[in-house]
DNA sequence: CAACAAGCTGCGGGTTTACGCAAGACGGCG
DNA sequence: CGCCGTCTTGCGTAAACCCGCAGCTTGTTG
């Protein structure tokens, strides 16, 4: 068995290397990549079937890399190993995982034992392993209870990108009014409203900007989500 | 000599511990804190004069912690050791460093030797050491060439928080029109404008939202900057 | 001191947002 | 099939936003 490690940080990389060796005696080769771009290339060259991947890397982040890798070989098993469990990451990952693929999401703060188990479960048993903390988010985000619908999330991203209502309408094939309806829903769920709760006309918010900030603070959005969305937007703009 | 290490990540923490021992034979005690809150407390209890601090920690980020520490003992020497050199961080740090204090900003990607030198320069020689990559940003951000004035940055933060023009005017003691003037300047510098460069009325942007996103993508803003700004805003709202 | 650049402010108007009201459209369910 | 909830769309309005024009207050400089 061959394992590919994709991870920015040299310290974490060598830690992972050791962890893989310890957890998987059946593994005879470990390859390392220090960013997403190299990771993709190595995965292709080696036809890697077992990958441990960091999210959040400078050059090309884990989600991007995983997407292209899975596009080429959907049966690849990927363990995401991340510092954070932002809802934006969780949502991003679950949107790209192919049907029936075995994957995992483990936090860097997890114990050695937890990492060991995850490695064996995913790579040997083809099971999915999702950290408890992450799992909670995932359910909240997929189930609609207190979570966001896809359409709400979509419009959140659109205003975050700075599109006007009209532009969103065009992009999503909706009428102006529908876009504004969805915005209303969004404001509602994010609990943003004009006045800061004061008596008379004072601390007012610009709802559209406020919504984006609140989403950021709640980790519904993060840098990498923005980055991806921006790339998609540019693509769409080019394709007119 | 006693050195306090404030750092989230256990791997990085122990790496730092070793690095400090290797670089500073005159150091006889090393204390560790795993987040900003604990860091502040330990700094106070031990009257630490030499601190190595991570920015970006979950519980209380490095800038916050450094600020309160410096407020209590401005002669404390702090070496910031960070993964990133976002302009937001650089700006944040240089805003809190007391006059004449010795501090440093070194990236985690720096070599062992560089870290060693920085440790000795700051803790022994009381010199400031700023990584080259960081230095570049700092000059750009302070000098006005292609950089942002404080007032521009201020208004950027204000719209990022989601305040209306009127609210900003009240908060900053300006007239409505002045606020809008500054916004204009900001849009200009960020190079955001309505049409996406197309011929007729099409891909339009909401300038205010777009500006925030562009700033984010350019690392002028980041999560921690937003977090701080939000806290300040709440403070201001409470103080009416 | 005159001249000039830079920032603050009011006026005015064209556009975009936020949102209530109400009329269809679609899908499930007893 | 009729009832009902959810989603979409149009109309209309008050507020907020973007921004050109022009008069003022400053601080700077020759």
């Amino acid at each position: 068995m061959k394992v590919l490690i994709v991870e920015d940080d040299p310290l974490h990389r060598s830690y992972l290397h050791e962890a893989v060796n310890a957890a998987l005696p059946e593994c005879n080769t470990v390859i390392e990549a220090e960013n997403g771009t190299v990771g993709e290339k190595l995965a292709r060259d080696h036809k890697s079937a077992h990958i441990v991947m960091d999210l959040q890397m400078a050059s090309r982040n884990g989600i991007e890399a995983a997407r292209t890798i899975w596009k080429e070989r959907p049966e690849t098993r990927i363990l995401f190993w991340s510092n954070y469990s932002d809802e934006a990451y969780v949502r991003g990952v679950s949107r790209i995982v192919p049907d029936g693929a075995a994957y995992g999401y483990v936090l860097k703060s997890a114990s050695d034992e937890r990492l060991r188990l995850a490695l064996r479960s995913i790579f040997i048993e083809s099971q999915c392993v999702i950290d408890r903390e992450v799992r909670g988010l995932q359910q909240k985000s997929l189930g609609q209870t207190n979570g966001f619908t896809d359409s709400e999330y979509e419009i959140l991203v659109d205003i975050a990108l700075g599109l006007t209502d009209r532009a969103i309408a065009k992009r999503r094939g909706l009428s102006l009014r529908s876009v504004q309806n969805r915005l209303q829903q969004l404001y509602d769920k994010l609990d943003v409203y004009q006045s800061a709760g004061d008596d008379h006309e004072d601390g007012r918010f610009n709802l559209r900007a406020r919504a984006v900030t609140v989403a950021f603070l709640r980790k519904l959005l993060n840098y990498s989500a923005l980055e991806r969305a921006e790339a998609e937007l540019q693509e769409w703009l080019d394709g007119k």
Side-chain angles (χ1 to χ4, degrees), chain A:
Chain A
M1 180 192 290
K2 213 161 39 176
V3 172
L4 168 62
I5 294 175
V6 188
E7 161 71 66
D8 263 295
D9 186 317
L11 261 50
H12 288 174
R13 206 158 57 227
S14 68
Y15 168 78
L16 263 188
H17 197 133
E18 277 179 50
V20 167
N21 279 337
L24 300 166
E26 49 273 86
C27 164
N28 47 29
T29 322
V30 178
I31 334 172
E32 299 185 1
E34 73 276 14
N35 64 51
T37 317
V38 176
E40 278 177 29
K41 186 177 176 331
L42 289 183
R44 187 158 24 226
D45 293 352
H46 291 265
K47 301 194 196 329
S48 300
H50 309 91
I51 303 182
V52 185
M53 170 102 62
D54 189 18
L55 304 172
Q56 179 170 253
M57 291 171 292
S59 157
R60 184 159 170 74
N61 77 56
I63 295 187
E64 300 282 356
R67 180 158 57 176
T68 73
I69 290 171
W70 263 332
K71 198 168 291 170
E72 294 174 15
R73 239 166 302 100
E75 73 288 358
T76 311
R77 293 171 194 148
I78 304 183
L79 170 58
F80 295 100
W81 193 57
S82 167
N83 254 315
Y84 309 100
S85 57
D86 297 0
E87 187 164 341
Y89 279 137
V90 176
R91 195 179 278 269
V93 167
S94 42
R95 247 206 336 219
I96 59 163
V97 39
D99 288 346
Y103 80 103
Y105 195 132
V106 175
L107 294 178
K108 288 192 180 177
S109 57
S111 67
D112 296 359
E113 180 58 12
R114 202 126 124 214
L115 177 57
R116 200 184 72 81
L117 277 177
L119 284 168
R120 292 203 67 82
S121 303
I122 298 164
F123 291 165
I124 311 286
E125 312 289 346
S126 302
Q127 280 187 292
C128 284
V129 178
I130 316 287
D131 247 11
R132 315 194 70 235
E133 294 85 342
V134 180
R135 189 75 196 152
L137 276 183
Q138 200 177 42
Q139 303 204 314
K140 200 180 71 181
S141 101
L142 292 186
Q144 64 280 53
T145 322
N146 196 7
F148 291 72
T149 343
D150 283 343
S151 65
E152 282 157 1
Y153 190 73
E154 201 176 61
I155 207 161
L156 170 61
V157 170
D158 283 339
I159 59 169
L161 286 173
L163 295 173
T164 60
D165 293 3
R166 197 194 312 284
I168 299 174
K170 201 161 293 182
R171 174 136 117 115
R172 305 298 181 188
L174 293 172
S175 76
L176 224 186
R177 192 60 180 88
S178 294
V179 170
Q180 296 175 329
N181 269 341
R182 294 193 176 180
L183 279 176
Q184 226 95 289
Q185 268 177 266
L186 183 68
Y187 297 154
D188 203 40
K189 281 216 183 158
L190 284 174
D191 196 40
V192 298
Y193 40 93
Q194 311 248 53
S195 88
D198 261 345
D199 32 19
H200 46 291
E201 57 110 347
D202 201 51
R204 290 176 110 76
F205 283 120
N206 175 315
L207 295 187
R208 151 183 300 251
R210 183 67 184 163
V212 174
T213 306
V214 169
F216 242 101
L217 292 173
R218 291 205 199 161
K219 318 271 183 115
L220 274 167
L221 285 177
N222 60 17
Y223 181 84
S224 113
L226 252 195
E227 200 180 21
R228 261 176 300 138
E230 174 74 14
E232 279 172 27
L233 172 63
Q234 288 306 332
E235 222 169 276
W236 177 74
L237 284 178
D238 292 344
K240 244 186 310 175

